[in-house]
C-alpha cells in the first residue's frame, strides 16, 4: 500500500481571483462566513492509495454522485480556527496542532480515516500563505479557516466509508455577534439535549449542529440568541451551548467550567482560558454545575459573571438566562471585569500584542 507523502502540495493559482478593490470592500465589512477566499486545499484518501493528491488550487464547486455517503449518513467532521494579522504585517495561527489532534479524535469517533497531524497543519498553512491578502485587519477581524472531511464512498449501504475528501476553505470574518461583544441571551432547553454519554458530543461533527437547530429555533421563539444544553441523563448539569463552552465567575474571583466527561466538546479556547486564568493566580475548577445551583447563586449574588467561549466568538458574556419558568439577568447585563480581563489576555496573545509564554502562536509568514 503506497501511503504517499501529503505534505507536498501541487499548486495552481486562481486565474480569476477577486479584484483587489472588491476584496478590499469585502474585508472592510466581512460579516461572518459571507465571503470565501480565492483558493482551497484538497487531499484525497482511498483505501488503496491512502492519502494522496494534495492540491492547493482555485476554489471550486464540488461534484458529488447523489449516493455519496456524506449526503445520507452525515459522515462529516470539521475544525474552526483563525489566522490572525500580526502587528508587523505577518500572519499567525493559534495552536494549530491542537486542532489537528482534535480532528483525528473526531475522525476516530466517526470511523473516518486519520489524517497525519503535520499534513493537517501544512494544509492550513498553505492556504493562509496563498490567500494572505485576505487576512483582514482592524478590530478583531481575522481569517477564519474551515478544514473539514467528508466520506465520499459511492454507496447507499451504511458502513464506514472507504474514501474521504479533506478540504480547507477560508473566510474573512469580523465580529461573530452582530451586536459586537455585548451580552448574549441564552435559552435553557428542557425539550432537547445535545449529547448523551457514549454519543458524539465530544466530536466536532456536523451532525451535532444539525441536531441542535430545533433547540436553537425554540430559543429564538423565546427571544434568545443561543441555547444552553443540560446533560441528557439527569437534565440538570450544565454542559455547553451549541457551539461554545461556558464559564462561571464567582464573587471570590474563582472560575468554574464543566469537566470534559465525553459529552462536551473540548474547546481550545476553553483550554487556553483555563491556563491564562491560572497564570493570573485564579482558582479554576473543572467541576459539574447544576442549573438549580446557577439560579440560586444568581439570587444570592455568589455568581457574578458568566461567559461563553469558542474560536468564532472568542469570549462572549452571557447577560440573560431564560427557561420555562425563570428569566434572570446576570450582573449588569454587559461584560464583567473578569470576562473582560480573560478576553483581553487571550486576544492580546492571538493578535501578537502580548508575549506568548506557552508557545501558542504559530507564525505562517
Ligand atoms: C468548536 C466548538 C466549541 C469551541 O471550541 P474552540 O476550539 O474553542 O473553538 C465548543 N463547543 C462546541 C460544540 C464546538 O463545536
Amino acid at each position: 500500500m503506497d501511503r504517499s507523502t501529503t505534505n507536498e502540495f501541487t499548486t495552481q493559482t486562481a486565474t480569476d481571483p477577486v479584484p483587489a478593490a472588491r476584496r478590499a470592500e469585502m474585508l472592510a465589512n466581512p460579516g461572518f462566513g459571507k465571503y470565501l477566499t480565492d483558493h482551497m486545499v484538497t487531499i484525497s484518501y482511498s483505501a488503496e492509495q491512502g492519502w494522496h493528491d494534495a492540491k492547493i488550487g482555485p476554489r471550486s464547486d464540488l461534484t458529488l454522485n447523489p449516493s455519496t455517503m456524506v449526503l445520507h449518513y452525515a459522515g462529516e467532521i470539521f475544525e474552526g480556527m483563525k489566522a490572525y494579522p500580526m502587528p508587523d504585517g505577518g500572519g499567525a495561527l493559534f495552536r494549530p496542532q491542537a486542532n489537528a489532534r482534535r480532528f483525528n479524535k473526531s475522525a476516530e469517533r466517526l470511523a473516518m480515516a486519520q489524517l497525519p497531524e503535520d499534513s493537517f497543519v501544512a494544509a492550513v498553512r498553505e492556504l493562509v500563505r496563498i490567500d494572505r491578502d485576505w487576512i483582514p485587519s482592524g478590530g478583531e477581524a481575522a481569517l477564519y479557516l474551515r478544514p473539514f472531511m467528508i466520506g465520499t464512498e459511492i454507496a447507499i449501504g451504511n458502513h464506514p466509508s472507504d474514501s474521504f475528501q479533506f478540504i480547507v476553505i477560508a473566510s474573512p470574518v469580523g465580529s461573530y455577534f452582530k451586536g459586537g461583544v455585548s451580552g448574549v441571551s441564552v435559552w435553557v432547553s428542557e425539550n432537547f439535549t445535545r449529547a448523551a454519554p457514549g454519543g458524539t458530543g465530544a466530536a466536532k461533527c456536523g451532525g451535532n449542529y444539525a441536531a441542535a437547530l430545533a433547540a436553537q429555533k425554540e430559543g429564538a421563539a423565546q427571544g434568545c440568541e443561543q441555547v444552553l444544553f443540560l446533560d441528557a441523563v439527569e437534565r440538570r448539569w450544565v454542559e455547553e451551548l451549541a457551539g461554545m463552552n461556558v464559564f462561571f465567575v464567582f464573587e471570590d474571583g474563582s472560575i468554574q467550567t464543566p469537566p470534559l466527561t465525553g459529552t462536551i466538546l473540548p474547546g481550545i479556547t476553553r483550554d487556553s482560558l483555563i491556563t491564562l486564568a491560572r497564570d493570573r493566580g485564579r482558582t479554576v475548577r473543572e467541576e459539574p454545575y447544576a442549573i438549580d445551583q446557577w439560579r440560586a447563586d444568581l439570587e444570592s449574588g455568589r455568581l457574578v459573571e458568566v461567559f461563553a467561549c469558542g474560536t468564532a466568538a472568542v469570549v462572549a458574556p452571557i447577560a440573560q438566562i431564560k427557561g420555562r419558568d425563570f428569566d434572570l439577568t446576570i450582573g449588569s447585563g454587559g461584560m464583567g471585569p473578569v470576562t473582560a480581563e480573560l478576553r483581553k489576555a487571550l486576544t492580546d496573545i492571538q493578535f501578537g500584542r502580548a508575549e506568548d509564554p506557552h508557545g501558542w502562536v504559530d507564525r505562517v509568514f
Side-chain angles (χ1 to χ4, degrees):
M1 208 181 289
D2 170 30
R3 300 207 175 259
S4 52
T5 164
T6 43
N7 296 349
E8 276 165 35
F9 294 82
T10 312
T11 304
Q12 191 195 333
T13 311
T15 49
D16 58 344
V18 174
R22 175 68 188 125
R23 188 180 62 229
E25 264 173 38
M26 291 170 166
L27 294 183
N29 191 7
F32 199 97
K34 200 158 47 156
Y35 306 117
L36 294 180
T37 63
D38 294 313
H39 296 89
M40 67 196 265
V41 175
T42 53
I43 315 179
S44 301
Y45 176 92
S46 67
E48 309 80 52
Q49 290 178 273
W51 290 104
H52 62 281
D53 207 10
K55 283 195 284 216
I56 180 153
R59 180 173 48 77
S60 63
D61 293 343
L62 305 178
T63 303
L64 296 175
N65 181 295
S67 69
T68 303
M69 270 189 159
V70 63
L71 301 176
H72 303 272
Y73 307 117
E76 190 267 355
I77 57 170
F78 66 96
E79 275 300 324
M81 46 210 292
K82 282 174 176 170
Y84 300 86
M86 294 288 109
D88 65 1
L93 296 166
F94 183 74
R95 306 184 68 182
Q97 294 288 346
N99 294 95
R101 237 177 350 257
R102 186 170 68 186
F103 193 68
N104 275 337
K105 289 214 172 106
S106 300
E108 192 180 359
R109 180 63 186 79
L110 273 83
M112 300 173 90
Q114 298 281 301
L115 176 67
E117 278 176 28
D118 57 341
S119 302
F120 177 101
V121 175
V124 172
R125 291 175 63 93
E126 284 295 321
L127 186 59
V128 171
R129 219 175 270 126
I130 200 164
D131 280 335
R132 62 168 72 190
D133 292 342
W134 283 90
I135 302 180
S137 58
E140 284 181 1
L143 184 64
Y144 188 79
L145 296 147
R146 170 52 58 85
F148 65 105
M149 174 159 68
I150 56 174
T152 51
E153 186 179 333
I154 294 169
I156 291 281
N158 186 24
H159 50 260
S161 180
D162 68 3
S163 59
F164 298 95
Q165 185 80 215
F166 172 74
I167 303 174
V168 192
I169 53 175
S171 169
V173 296
S175 180
Y176 184 74
F177 291 111
K178 282 188 226 82
V181 288
S182 60
V184 298
S185 53
V186 157
W187 170 250
V188 182
S189 183
E190 274 185 30
N191 294 326
F192 300 104
T193 57
R194 193 192 82 92
T200 56
K204 213 167 172 68
C205 61
N208 287 344
Y209 280 71
L213 289 175
Q216 195 81 36
K217 220 170 140 182
E218 186 188 63
Q222 299 290 333
C224 294
E225 293 153 278
Q226 295 284 320
V227 186
L228 179 99
F229 290 99
L230 303 176
D231 79 288
V233 178
E234 294 182 60
R235 306 279 183 118
R236 182 173 167 224
W237 304 103
V238 173
E239 297 219 308
E240 62 172 319
L241 308 189
M244 280 185 278
N245 296 118
V246 59
F247 278 80
F248 302 93
V249 182
F250 297 92
E251 204 180 18
D252 65 0
S254 68
I255 289 172
Q256 186 162 332
T257 190
L260 302 177
T261 54
T263 53
I264 292 177
L265 198 289
I268 295 160
T269 315
R270 175 190 180 279
D271 184 77
S272 306
L273 291 170
I274 290 173
T275 300
L276 292 175
R278 288 187 177 141
D279 285 353
R280 279 163 180 69
R282 288 188 188 279
T283 299
V284 183
R285 292 179 299 275
E286 292 181 73
E287 285 171 17
Y289 194 58
I291 186 70
D292 32 325
Q293 190 68 47
W294 182 346
R295 292 171 63 181
D297 287 345
L298 271 181
E299 266 147 37
S300 74
R302 179 173 167 258
L303 178 65
V304 290
E305 300 175 35
V306 184
F307 63 84
C309 68
T311 299
V314 197
V315 168
I318 294 176
Q320 184 195 3
I321 163 182
K322 197 172 168 188
R324 189 173 45 79
D325 57 354
F326 61 93
D327 185 352
L328 299 165
T329 301
I330 299 156
S332 58
M335 170 133 46
V338 178
T339 304
E341 170 198 309
L342 292 174
R343 185 178 217 285
K344 181 171 188 307
L346 179 63
T347 52
D348 279 353
I349 294 174
Q350 289 171 330
F351 286 88
R353 295 186 295 251
E355 255 186 89
D356 172 29
H358 301 286
W360 288 339
V361 173
D362 179 33
R363 285 293 291 244
V364 178
F365 62 93

